[in-house]
Structure formats: C-alpha cells, structure tokens
Amino acid sequence: MSTNKRWLSVIAAVLVSSAPAVFAAEVPASFDAKNCKAEYPKASLMNEEQGTVSMSFLIKADGTVADSKVDKSSGFKNLDKAAIKSLSACKFKPGTKDGAPAETWTKVDYAWKLD
C-alpha cells in the first residue's frame, strides 16, 4: 500500500471513530401525562371551551421548568394559561446531551376536551 493510501485510511478511521462524539444526539425532556394534569378552568367549563394548546418548555437538568411559552394557542386564553401554569409545576424527565442530563427545550401539546 502506498504512503498516501495508508494516510488516507488512517484519517478515515479517525473520522469514523470520532463521528459519534461530534454528532452526539440531544434527547429532549419528557413527562408522564398521566401524572401531570391541568384543572379545567371554571369559566372555560361554563363556556364549553375546548382546544389544543402547543407549548415549549425549557427543562433544567434537574427536571424543573426554567421557561415556558405558548407556540400555538388553543383559541382560548384561559385554557392556554391553565396549561402553562399546571405543566410548569410538573416534574419532567430531563433531556440529555452527550448522554448526560442537560437543559433542553421540549414541546408539549395539551388537549382540552369536554366529556
């Protein structure tokens, strides 16, 4: 094998072996929806308001919420506020970066439905 081909093989091997570290996956935080429910606002119940609110939460490495925002409204401010308030108090499973718990953003859709 020529010297150039050997160096090319060594460089390719180094790049392949270091690829997982360079392109390490970020896993977003999550939570158990069964253990974290929002109480239906009384005014929304009386007005028969329903809808799905899409939110983003910045979750710290310890699973608590650092920040939150509404990405897409349910169409009703009371439902949006109740979802943000309730889910912000929930304990999340922290996301990871390079396999270690880390602060990450996660998206949550919360559906308000009348039975």
Side-chain angles (χ1 to χ4, degrees), residues 1 3 5 7 26 36 47 51 54 63 67 75 85 89 92 94 99 101 110:
M1 190 183 277
T3 306
K5 286 185 181 178
W7 278 112
E26 179 178 310
C36 188
N47 294 323
S54 298
D67 195 9
K85 181 179 177 183
F92 283 70
Y110 196 87

Side-chain angles (χ1 to χ4, degrees), residues 24-27 95-105:
E26 179 178 310
V27 178
T96 59
K97 288 182 185 172
D98 298 328
E103 189 172 82
T104 60
W105 280 96

Side-chain angles (χ1 to χ4, degrees), residues 5 28 36 44-45 63-64 111:
K5 286 185 181 178
C36 188
S44 296
L45 276 172
T64 59

Side-chain angles (χ1 to χ4, degrees), residues 21-112:
V22 174
F23 300 107
E26 179 178 310
V27 178
S30 61
F31 78 107
D32 184 1
K34 293 176 191 166
N35 295 326
C36 188
K37 295 196 183 236
E39 188 174 329
Y40 226 111
K42 287 182 177 34
S44 296
L45 276 172
M46 290 183 355
N47 294 323
E48 297 183 354
E49 297 171 349
Q50 299 184 89
T52 300
V53 56
S54 298
M55 304 160 284
S56 292
F57 293 92
L58 180 60
I59 308 301
K60 297 182 201 177
D62 67 0
T64 59
V65 176
D67 195 9
S68 62
K69 62 184 177 180
V70 172
D71 295 327
K72 184 173 183 252
S73 174
S74 64
F76 302 99
K77 279 194 176 208
N78 283 341
L79 296 180
D80 297 347
K81 283 184 192 178
I84 285 282
K85 181 179 177 183
S86 295
L87 297 185
S88 290
C90 293
K91 181 78 169 181
F92 283 70
K93 178 182 175 193
T96 59
K97 288 182 185 172
D98 298 328
E103 189 172 82
T104 60
W105 280 96
T106 191
K107 294 187 178 288
V108 177
D109 290 338
Y110 196 87
W112 296 95

